[in-house]
Amino acid sequence: PCVGSGFRAGMKRCIRSFSMKMKDPSIKTPNWLWKKDSLVPLNESKDANKLRGGYWKLKVGAANASGFPVERKQKGYQGAEIAFVGRSNVGKSSLINSLLSQKIAKTSKTPGRTQQINFFYQEIYDDKYVVDLPGYGFANASVKVVDRWNMLIGEYIRSRSILKRVFALVDGRRGLMQNDLDFLDFLEEFGVPYSIVVTKVDRIRRNELEERIEDMSKHLNFVQAEFCQPWIHGVSSTTGFGVKNLRNLVADELF
């Protein structure tokens, strides 16, 4: 089925929520292992910016699959891209701007500002893309338009052989919602590697963040997720919390 119908139908699930005590409450880290019985905090990376600096530009804004950049594949070498996606108003554009250290993705207080698939690149690496996908879920648009966006996202996910990882963003204030669960199912179905990124962590209390992470951990174990990276990332575009770790992960996937 197309992604649009999948998001609206979905499967009913119940994720039990309970609080978790960290061994050392003074530790402030943006990542947690979810495959363990107890979530293990990971230290913030002290590595330098691995995105190699340089100015990022918009390669193309694609409203359909025919507008996607040609995938470069040669013997012993191919291009690479990573993509960001999440519910409308999850803070996706702000996070991309923080990761790339420039205001390249348009931000807005109105959900659904991104209405096409935007491919960002550096001229010195013209086959390495950071991809901004339209938001799913609520947006200030008609049902027909939102369904078209969802179908476009699905076509992109299924067709891009150089796609290394999808970063699925979840609003830390709300946790996993039904549209998020449906999209994670979609990624699992098509065997696409992905990572969960909890955004806006500066706007909730620490114990609330730990509960969100625990909920996600329980869900991933319950569905026996195979393609999710075993770390759940917490970030704040406002304070910069966790951005360095995520930036380095993006660079590792691209370069």
Side-chain angles (χ1 to χ4, degrees):
C2 72
V3 179
S5 63
F7 284 172
R8 296 183 182 285
M11 296 175 62
K12 292 185 178 180
R13 297 188 183 91
C14 178
I15 302 178
R16 290 193 306 153
S17 173
F18 58 92
S19 61
M20 175 199 63
K21 293 182 179 180
M22 305 288 284
K23 291 183 178 180
D24 182 356
S26 66
I27 295 177
K28 295 182 178 180
T29 56
N31 311 92
W32 290 262
L33 277 168
W34 61 262
K35 284 188 175 179
K36 302 291 184 180
D37 292 334
S38 60
L39 303 186
V40 180
L42 303 176
N43 291 328
E44 173 78 354
S45 170
K46 295 182 180 180
D47 294 339
N49 184 351
K50 288 186 177 180
L51 280 182
R52 304 193 178 195
Y55 185 74
W56 289 81
K57 300 170 63 175
L58 176 65
K59 177 78 170 184
V60 66
N64 52 59
S66 64
F68 297 166
V70 175
E71 296 177 287
R72 182 176 297 180
K73 296 180 181 179
Q74 300 173 352
K75 187 176 181 179
Y77 175 83
Q78 68 175 23
E81 62 192 35
I82 57 93
F84 290 87
V85 70
R87 287 177 55 84
S88 299
N89 204 32
V90 75
K92 175 169 51 68
S93 297
S94 295
L95 179 58
I96 291 174
N97 290 339
S98 294
L99 291 170
L100 303 185
S101 303
Q102 67 185 78
K103 293 184 178 180
I104 191 169
K106 294 181 179 179
T107 60
S108 173
K109 293 183 179 180
T110 302
R113 180 66 181 268
T114 305
Q115 301 183 14
Q116 57 189 6
I117 297 182
N118 295 320
F119 293 78
F120 301 118
Y121 79 113
Q122 296 172 301
E123 289 185 342
I124 56 175
Y125 304 108
D126 62 355
D127 56 353
K128 311 286 187 180
Y129 298 107
V130 171
V131 183
D132 183 8
L133 300 176
Y136 55 79
F138 171 80
N140 190 22
S142 67
V143 172
K144 183 177 180 180
V145 170
V146 173
D147 280 345
R148 177 169 58 82
W149 295 345
N150 289 341
M151 293 177 67
L152 180 62
I153 294 172
E155 192 165 8
Y156 167 81
I157 296 294
R158 291 191 297 264
S159 67
R160 299 297 282 182
S161 63
I162 65 173
L163 177 61
K164 300 300 183 182
R165 183 170 301 277
V166 172
F167 292 91
L169 310 188
V170 177
D171 192 326
R173 300 168 300 176
R174 296 173 174 82
L176 284 170
M177 302 184 72
Q178 189 60 55
N179 283 352
D180 300 314
L181 298 174
D182 292 340
F183 188 76
L184 297 184
D185 276 352
F186 175 77
L187 295 176
E188 286 284 338
E189 179 181 351
F190 284 91
V192 178
Y194 64 98
S195 297
I196 296 178
V197 179
V198 185
T199 63
K200 305 183 180 182
V201 299
D202 59 299
R203 302 175 70 173
I204 59 176
R205 292 188 294 271
R206 180 174 174 78
N207 68 308
E208 292 178 302
L209 174 59
E210 291 171 354
E211 289 178 5
R212 297 283 188 271
I213 299 295
E214 191 66 64
D215 288 346
M216 295 173 193
S217 172
K218 293 288 289 184
H219 169 74
L220 293 169
N221 281 303
F222 177 73
V223 300
Q224 297 182 339
E226 296 182 29
F227 297 96
C228 183
Q229 187 194 48
W231 295 283
I232 296 172
H233 301 266
V235 298
S236 167
S237 300
T238 302
T239 67
F241 178 75
V243 171
K244 184 187 297 183
N245 261 12
L246 192 60
R247 180 185 291 133
N248 289 342
L249 176 58
V250 168
D252 289 341
E253 294 288 357
L254 289 178
F255 302 106

